[in-house]
Amino acid sequence: MNLNELPWLDKVYKKINFNNLPHGIILNGADGLGKYILGNEIARTLLVNNNDSKSINLFNLNTHPDFLFINKDKILTRHISFRDKEWDEELGNRNVIDFLSMTPSISSNKVVLINNAHTMNEVSQNALLKSLEEPAVNSYIILITNRSNSLLQTIYSRCQTLNMPSLTDDEINSWLVSRGISDFNTKDFPSYISPINILNDIENNQHMVFKDFVKLIKKFLSNQVHSKQILQYLSSYEIDLITKINYLIEFLKILLRSKILNEELSGLYEDFNNSDFSTLKLSNIINDLHNLRFDYFKVPQINENHVFNYYFSELKNSIKL
């Protein structure tokens, strides 16, 4: 997918002043907005000089010698600075600091693009700080984050942050139609989901997972399935723990909003109009889930069955259908 197919990012790109670009750039916004595509286009602009065909081909093949792309689920310290005997199957011992210490090979600049930068721990971020505090000439570091304020304030102070715009339901639906999708719209997905993630879910036949998740909760609370069964169903979903936590938070927020604003629920949630629950209790569960999600990025070895066994037990005690 190209930048010109994502109008909300194309607008951001066109406002960038490449004649006065800081050494550190943070692209922040929700997952599924295409931040990697924007970051890649910024890197291309910085590396491809005068439409040089050799440089263009190398960049397109991801073999440009002056470009380092780190795309990991979790960014570790060894990805930022050299660690003896620590080997990465994809990167080997390549790392940000050593890469930026070398002069450019064929371009005027060197560029590092780090995806999932919000997963760096404090040690990794402090290791990166040196390259931001004392940047090599004509070097650039582009950090992609899904969570605001997930980095050290000293990193933010040395970077320019570009926040991705939020899209309305109408904007997302119009974009889906432009991609040839009219059978589904934003109402079929969680409120927080982004356009590219909707497209991916549809293409991967995952577009019914959230609805199935809510139906499963309804069956559990109405005693149609028991605790062991619901854990088995959840483990069969081809989505990660964070997505399941997000789904649960979304469900609870919908119930909480309807109660606070005295709004009638419809469709999938209609059966919950007569449910009985404490808004304070649901608020506490939502806060706990937010904390769990935050803890996951620090300690990802969380037992999923234990997590959901606990929270679904809390739901059963808190929501009466």
Side-chain angles (χ1 to χ4, degrees):
M1 195 174 295
N2 298 319
L3 192 63
N4 58 13
E5 298 176 82
L6 307 173
W8 57 91
L9 293 187
D10 196 41
K11 292 177 182 177
V12 175
Y13 175 78
K14 287 176 178 176
K15 291 180 180 179
I16 295 174
N17 182 2
F18 284 93
N19 294 320
N20 187 29
L21 198 64
H23 290 278
I25 305 144
I26 298 171
L27 306 180
N28 181 68
D31 181 43
L33 285 175
K35 297 185 298 297
Y36 157 69
I37 296 172
L38 174 59
N40 201 59
E41 192 61 31
I42 294 172
R44 179 196 296 272
T45 303
L46 291 168
L47 291 170
V48 175
N49 308 124
N50 301 319
N51 291 320
D52 174 59
S53 59
K54 178 183 178 182
S55 188
I56 291 172
N57 290 335
L58 287 171
F59 189 88
N60 290 340
L61 293 170
N62 199 28
T63 55
H64 197 294
D66 298 320
F67 181 47
L68 177 61
F69 177 38
I70 300 180
N71 184 26
K72 297 289 181 180
D73 291 336
K74 187 174 179 63
I75 306 302
L76 304 175
T77 306
R78 70 168 180 259
H79 301 137
I80 306 301
S81 62
F82 177 72
R83 292 291 185 272
D84 190 28
K85 297 181 181 180
E86 291 193 11
W87 183 265
D88 185 280
E89 290 298 325
E90 180 185 354
L91 296 168
N93 58 11
R94 297 181 79 202
N95 61 84
V96 173
I97 292 176
D98 287 348
F99 174 78
L100 292 178
S101 68
M102 296 180 289
T103 56
S105 298
I106 62 173
S107 175
S108 301
N109 304 311
K110 291 182 77 73
V111 180
V112 173
L113 176 61
I114 303 178
N115 199 17
N116 296 320
H118 53 274
T119 65
M120 289 190 293
N121 62 22
E122 190 168 338
V123 175
S124 302
Q125 293 184 53
N126 279 319
L128 184 66
L129 260 177
K130 183 176 181 181
S131 294
L132 291 169
E133 291 172 337
E134 302 173 9
V137 177
N138 297 332
S139 67
Y140 298 90
I141 299 174
I142 305 170
L143 304 173
I144 297 175
T145 62
N146 294 345
R147 294 183 290 120
S148 299
N149 301 316
S150 56
L151 303 175
L152 298 174
Q153 287 305 309
T154 44
I155 288 182
Y156 285 110
S157 67
R158 288 163 175 78
C159 296
Q160 177 183 353
T161 299
L162 301 178
N163 289 307
M164 303 303 106
S166 298
L167 302 180
T168 66
D169 286 352
D170 287 343
E171 287 173 323
I172 296 175
N173 290 333
S174 295
W175 182 77
L176 290 173
V177 170
S178 75
R179 305 288 301 182
I181 296 170
S182 57
D183 295 338
F184 305 97
N185 58 51
T186 53
K187 294 186 183 300
D188 297 310
F189 299 88
S191 62
Y192 61 82
I193 198 166
S194 301
I196 295 176
N197 284 345
I198 290 178
L199 189 63
N200 289 338
D201 280 355
I202 293 171
E203 291 177 346
N204 296 322
N205 200 31
Q206 294 287 308
H207 52 280
M208 294 299 293
V209 175
F210 177 65
K211 285 187 173 181
D212 288 343
F213 185 89
V214 176
K215 290 176 182 177
L216 186 59
I217 294 176
K218 192 190 304 184
K219 287 182 178 180
F220 176 70
L221 294 177
S222 59
N223 298 313
Q224 296 179 50
V225 296
H226 54 68
S227 300
K228 187 175 182 180
Q229 287 175 308
I230 200 168
L231 294 178
Q232 290 172 340
Y233 284 127
L234 285 174
S235 64
S236 70
Y237 290 159
E238 295 181 2
I239 53 176
D240 58 24
L241 174 62
I242 291 298
T243 302
K244 293 172 186 176
I245 291 173
N246 288 340
Y247 281 1
L248 187 52
I249 291 173
E250 173 79 355
F251 166 75
L252 293 174
K253 281 185 173 180
I254 289 171
L255 260 61
L256 196 59
R257 175 185 173 87
S258 71
K259 188 92 164 188
I260 293 173
L261 300 180
N262 196 28
E263 291 180 342
E264 192 81 2
L265 293 167
S266 60
L268 191 61
Y269 303 92
E270 188 173 359
D271 291 345
F272 291 96
N273 280 319
N274 298 319
S275 61
D276 181 31
F277 58 84
S278 162
T279 55
L280 178 59
K281 179 64 174 177
L282 255 59
S283 295
N284 289 337
I285 294 175
I286 291 171
N287 287 334
D288 286 347
L289 287 166
H290 278 304
N291 291 333
L292 173 65
R293 187 172 55 187
F294 179 76
D295 290 341
Y296 174 82
F297 291 106
K298 296 189 294 184
V299 186
Q301 295 81 18
I302 294 176
N303 188 298
E304 183 174 311
N305 279 344
H306 289 172
V307 165
F308 285 109
N309 188 49
Y310 169 76
Y311 280 106
F312 276 94
S313 175
E314 287 291 290
L315 290 188
K316 181 63 79 70
N317 293 329
S318 305
I319 303 172
K320 303 302 178 184
L321 270 178

